[in-house]
Amino acid sequence: MKWGKTTKIGSGNLVQLERRILADCYQLTWQKDMCPGCTLCASVCRQEAIRYRPGKVENGRLAAPPTIEIQAEDCNLCGACVVICPGRAFRLKANGQRWVPVEDTKVLPVFQYGITVDAAGCTVDCQAACAAACPLEAITVATAESEQGPTVRVHVDRDQCFYCQQCAAACPEQCITVNQAYEGALAVAADRCPPGCSICADACPTDALQAGADGVTARPDFCLFCGVCADLCPAEGALTFRRYGVKCSQVRSGTWLSAVEILFKSGAKAGVLAGRGGEKRARLYRSRIS
C-alpha cells in the first residue's frame, strides 16, 4: 500500500477504507446492517465519494433494500458521514481511537445521542426484555448472586446501538432512558396505502413502521428519522414524514448551514443554527428557503 493512498478492505457487512501515512493508520468503517438505506450520507458528502443504490420493489414488498457504495479514491476521511448518518453505520478512527475531523474542527456539530440504564431498578423477572427488543443485539443482560439476592447487570454496546428507544419501551421497570439526536414526525394514513403494500415497513430498520392485518401503523418514538420510508413510499399522501430538528453542539460554519438545508429543508428549527451569530444565520436560512 502506498503512503497516503486510501484502500478499500472487506466486503459484505463490513467495508473499511484505510489510509496509512508513515506510522499513522486512519480507518473508516461502514457497517451494512446498521445502514438504513437513506440518502443523507451521499447528500452531505462534498467529495461525492458515496453513491446511493436504490432498492428493488416487487408487488408491494421490498425485494432488495437500498444501499450505498463508497468510492475509496474519492474519500478524504473527513467524517461528515459519521456525524450525519441516523443509523450510525459509520465509524472513523485514527490509530484505533475515534477521530472525526469535522467534529474536532467544529465544521459539523457533535450530535447528542445517549442511553443510561439504572441497573439498580432491574429485576430478574423481566427475562431481559430490553435485550430481546433490541434490533441490533446491542444489549446483553447478566445476573449474579449476592448477599442481597440476585442482581442484574446490563451492558449496552454503544457502537452497535441505534438509540431507537425500543429497549426503553420494553423495560417494565422504566430503567432505561434513551436520547435520540434527530427530532421529527411520522404518521401513516392507512386509507391511502395501496392494498397489500408494506414497502415502508419492510425498509424500516427499527419497526417504527409495522405491517399488520389493518395495514401499516406508525411508532414515531422508535423512528431514526432517516427518511428511507418516505423515499420508497409509492402512494402520495399515505406517509407523513418530517425531520425538523437535531440535538447537537453549537457550531457556526457554512458547511453546517448547507447540511441543515439538506437535512431539514423548510421544516428546520432555527435552533439547529444556534450559537454566536446564530440568529443572523437563521434569518439568512429562512430567506433562502422561503
Side-chain angles (χ1 to χ4, degrees):
M1 181 190 301
K2 293 182 179 180
W3 286 343
K5 180 180 179 181
T6 303
T7 303
K8 185 184 292 187
I9 304 170
S11 59
N13 189 49
L14 287 177
V15 174
Q16 190 174 85
L17 270 59
E18 182 174 286
R19 179 183 297 173
R20 291 183 178 271
I21 303 176
L22 298 178
D24 294 321
C25 179
Y26 305 92
Q27 296 175 324
L28 175 70
T29 302
W30 172 64
Q31 188 169 328
K32 187 175 182 179
D33 64 359
M34 293 185 73
C35 175
C38 65
T39 61
L40 292 184
C41 61
S43 297
V44 301
C45 180
R46 292 199 164 194
Q47 299 298 115
E48 298 182 358
I50 301 176
R51 315 291 166 80
Y52 175 70
R53 303 300 184 210
K56 184 178 180 181
V57 173
E58 294 179 352
N59 301 317
R61 298 300 303 270
L62 187 65
T67 188
I68 62 168
E69 183 178 337
I70 307 173
Q71 307 298 316
E73 62 274 14
D74 296 326
C75 180
N76 65 0
L77 303 181
C78 72
C81 54
V82 178
V83 175
I84 295 298
C85 177
R88 306 178 68 257
F90 295 91
R91 290 183 291 279
L92 184 56
K93 295 183 178 182
N95 301 323
Q97 301 297 315
R98 188 180 189 275
W99 171 76
V100 184
V102 291
E103 287 183 348
D104 295 344
T105 57
K106 297 187 178 181
V107 171
L108 290 180
V110 177
F111 284 18
Q112 295 169 355
Y113 294 94
I115 181 169
T116 57
V117 181
D118 179 13
C122 293
T123 68
V124 295
D125 300 329
C126 76
Q127 299 181 336
C130 58
C134 180
L136 289 173
E137 300 181 356
I139 300 176
T140 54
V141 180
T143 58
E145 293 295 331
S146 68
E147 294 180 358
Q148 291 75 33
T151 60
V152 180
R153 295 179 180 176
V154 180
H155 172 72
V156 181
D157 184 346
R158 286 164 173 77
D159 282 342
Q160 295 293 311
C161 183
F162 271 149
Y163 296 91
C164 64
Q165 303 192 65
Q166 289 204 57
C167 55
C171 178
E173 304 297 329
Q174 299 182 334
C175 295
I176 302 176
T177 303
V178 180
N179 184 60
Q180 165 62 256
Y182 281 107
E183 300 172 309
L186 177 70
V188 176
D191 58 326
R192 297 189 179 184
C193 294
C197 181
S198 63
I199 297 170
C200 60
D202 293 341
C204 182
T206 60
D207 292 332
L209 293 164
Q210 301 175 5
D214 298 325
V216 176
T217 55
R219 284 292 306 267
D221 48 331
F222 295 164
C223 187
L224 303 182
F225 300 106
C226 65
V228 66
C229 54
D231 294 337
L232 292 170
C233 180
E236 185 175 355
L239 184 71
T240 300
F241 169 82
R242 188 164 67 98
R243 188 186 306 112
Y244 57 67
V246 65
K247 304 181 187 77
C248 62
S249 61
Q250 297 181 359
V251 300
R252 41 188 195 274
S253 75
T255 298
W256 177 229
L257 177 60
S258 297
V260 165
E261 292 179 330
I262 293 168
L263 292 173
F264 308 110
K265 299 189 169 77
S266 60
K269 283 185 175 179
V272 301
L273 300 170
R276 184 180 178 185
E279 183 54 36
K280 179 179 179 181
R281 289 193 302 279
R283 287 197 300 270
L284 173 61
Y285 172 70
R286 293 189 195 101
S287 69
R288 293 174 66 176
I289 64 174
S290 60

